Amino acid sequence: RMVAMDCLENYAGPVVLAKGASYGVTLVEVPIIEGKLDEAFKVFTEHAMGLAYTSSRPGFLSLDVALDAEKNSVILFERWVKKDNWTAYMATRAVDNAANTSWNETFGPLVSGAPRMVAMDCLENYAGPVVLAKGASYGVTLVEVPIIEGKLDEAFKV
């Protein structure tokens, strides 16, 4: 699967990693009810328990928000100091409290199916020579390549 999208919003955390440091990455894809994609984006970016909450959690590095109009989904590309930071953050989403209830009641009716959430360790990072101005828009691309079982390490080395 390959899809290119415009990054509509970016959140940056206070942590700055040393050059070459490893980190965790998370891909979140949330399917949205047809005709509600813009509303879902607005809730994600404006609700106190949306991405403002996510970006306030320990170990958060950055997050890009894009919309996949073809699949009618909100796509989040997240970076964390370690993937375990994301796991700990997700545990806070499961706590039964007023804040989470408000989020679930507001955002839940916009979701059309189970979100796909994958936390991974980033094995390699490639940075280009372009430096964007703060707040500049940019594109993001999602490329997924299915690999034959047992051949992941070999494929990574290619």
Side-chain angles (χ1 to χ4, degrees):
R1 172 178 175 210
M2 289 193 286
V3 60
M5 302 159 277
D6 291 324
C7 178
L8 301 177
E9 192 76 34
N10 175 272
Y11 294 78
V15 177
V16 177
L17 292 176
K19 185 175 177 115
S22 63
Y23 54 91
V25 292
T26 305
L27 167 65
V28 178
E29 183 175 10
V30 184
I32 302 299
I33 292 175
E34 192 70 38
K36 299 290 186 176
L37 199 52
D38 290 336
E39 184 179 348
F41 172 78
K42 184 176 179 180
V43 171
F44 253 130
T45 58
E46 294 180 7
H47 193 284
M49 287 301 290
L51 300 177
Y53 175 74
T54 303
S55 63
S56 74
R57 306 313 304 160
F60 174 83
L61 292 171
S62 67
L63 183 149
D64 293 328
V65 184
L67 301 179
D68 182 348
E70 184 179 309
K71 290 187 82 177
N72 210 62
S73 297
V74 176
I75 307 291
L76 308 176
F77 296 98
E78 303 176 21
R79 291 178 61 222
W80 296 81
V81 172
K82 298 180 294 192
K83 73 178 182 179
D84 292 344
N85 294 120
W86 179 82
T87 303
Y89 149 70
M90 284 306 295
T92 70
R93 290 289 193 179
V95 174
D96 186 12
N97 61 32
N100 282 335
T101 297
S102 172
W103 169 252
N104 293 335
E105 289 174 352
T106 304
F107 190 67
L110 302 173
V111 177
S112 67
R116 176 179 173 217
M117 298 183 279
V118 182
M120 304 157 276
D121 291 317
C122 181
L123 300 177
E124 195 72 40
N125 177 276
Y126 297 88
V130 176
V131 177
L132 295 174
K134 186 174 176 96
S137 63
Y138 52 90
V140 293
T141 304
L142 169 62
V143 179
E144 291 180 289
V145 180
I147 304 295
I148 295 170
E149 178 123 8
K151 299 288 186 176
L152 188 58
D153 288 340
E154 185 179 332
F156 179 72
K157 291 175 185 173
V158 174

